Amino acid sequence: MNPSEEELKREITRVTRTLYQRGLINALEGNVSARIPGKEEFWITPSQVFKGDLKAGDLIKMNLRGEVLEGTLKPSIEWRMHSAIYIARSDVNAVVHAHNPLVLALSLLGRELRNTLTLESALLGRVGRVGFKLPGSGELAEAVAEMARAGVKAIVLDRHGVVGLGATLVEAEAIVESLESLALIEYICYSLGEEPKELPRGVLESLWKFLDSTSRNRG
C-alpha cells in the first residue's frame, strides 16, 4: 500500500536525521524528497534549516513545475534536480542527495568506486557520474536527469556529493549508504597498500539478474 502524505513526511525527516547522524550530510547541507507513486507532487526538505532535527512541518510540497503548493520555508536549492529526476523516471519515488566524505575523497583522487562487495554492488548496479555543475543549477538538474534516464540508481557528482534514486525512501537511503560502504573498503585497501579487487563480472551479472527477478516477483 502507498504511504499517506503524513507517513511520507515523517519518513523524510527520519532519513534526513539518519544521514546527519552518520556524517553523510552536515547541519545545513544535503536534501531529501519523496512522492506518493503516480503523483506529480513531491515533498522536499527546506533550505538553511538544521538537518539533524527536521520536523514534518518544515517540509515543502512542490509540483514538477517547481511551484510551491504547501509549506512556509524556502525549498532546497536542489529542487530542480529532484523534479527533473521525477519527470525522467516514473519508477522513482524518492531522491536522497548526500555529501559522502569517502566517496568524494576517492573521486577527487580520480579513483572510481569498484564492485568489491556482493550486496552493495548488487544494489547499486552501474554507478553514474556527472562532471562539475553549479549546485542548484538547471545544468546540474539536466545532467542528473540524463543519468537517471540511462537507468542508474546511484550517481556521483564531481566535487559535490552523491544522489540515490529509489522506488522508496528506504531504497534511496540504502543506495547512498552503500556507496559510502564501498568507498570505505576501497580506502582501507589503499591505506594498506593494496588495490581493491573487484568481483568477477559473471558474479555481478548473476547478482543483478537475481535481484531483478526478485523485484519483479514482489511487484
Side-chain angles (χ1 to χ4, degrees):
M1 294 179 60
N2 290 337
S4 68
E5 293 206 29
E6 289 305 312
E7 289 171 332
L8 201 66
K9 290 162 69 178
R10 287 196 296 271
E11 185 69 353
I12 290 173
T13 61
R14 181 200 63 76
V15 170
T16 306
R17 285 194 300 271
T18 301
L19 294 172
Y20 175 76
Q21 290 163 1
R22 290 204 59 184
L24 299 179
I25 62 175
N26 71 17
L28 298 177
E29 293 180 345
N31 34 82
V32 177
S33 73
R35 65 177 174 180
I36 294 174
K39 297 293 185 179
E40 294 193 351
E41 302 87 29
F42 61 96
W43 289 92
I44 190 167
T45 50
S47 177
Q48 297 299 303
V49 174
F50 177 52
K51 299 303 190 292
D53 192 31
L54 208 60
K55 303 293 191 299
D58 297 327
L59 303 180
I60 298 94
K61 187 177 185 180
M62 306 184 72
N63 62 27
L64 298 181
R65 296 186 298 277
E67 298 167 335
V68 173
L69 305 177
E70 291 184 41
T72 58
L73 297 175
K74 183 178 179 181
S76 166
I77 66 166
E78 298 296 2
W79 68 263
R80 293 177 182 83
M81 180 175 70
H82 291 252
S83 178
I85 291 170
Y86 292 132
I87 292 171
R89 291 274 296 278
S90 61
D91 61 313
V92 171
N93 300 307
V95 176
V96 174
H97 169 47
H99 296 163
N100 299 25
L102 289 174
V103 175
L104 286 172
L106 292 174
S107 176
L108 284 171
L109 295 175
R111 292 176 172 174
E112 295 188 356
L113 291 178
R114 301 188 182 189
N115 292 305
T116 55
L117 306 176
T118 53
L119 294 179
E120 286 81 356
S121 297
L123 173 66
L124 294 172
R126 182 172 69 87
V127 177
R129 288 169 179 78
V130 170
F132 180 75
K133 311 288 182 186
L134 284 176
S137 67
E139 290 79 11
L140 175 62
E142 179 50 39
V144 171
E146 184 177 352
M147 279 284 102
R149 285 191 288 268
V152 302
K153 297 186 293 183
I155 304 170
V156 176
L157 310 178
D158 183 37
R159 298 177 183 271
H160 189 174
V162 305
V163 183
L165 286 57
T168 65
L169 275 161
V170 171
E171 182 182 17
E173 176 187 17
I175 286 168
V176 166
E177 292 184 347
S178 293
L179 283 167
E180 193 71 356
S181 295
L182 284 180
L184 174 60
I185 294 301
E186 275 201 35
Y187 172 78
I188 293 172
C189 289
Y190 289 127
S191 298
L192 295 173
E194 298 288 341
E195 287 279 334
K197 295 180 175 59
E198 287 200 283
L199 290 164
R201 184 69 188 179
V203 172
L204 281 171
E205 290 176 350
S206 296
L207 282 168
W208 292 336
K209 187 180 297 183
F210 171 74
L211 287 180
D212 182 55
S213 64
T214 302
S215 176
R216 285 198 304 272
N217 290 336
R218 282 202 300 264

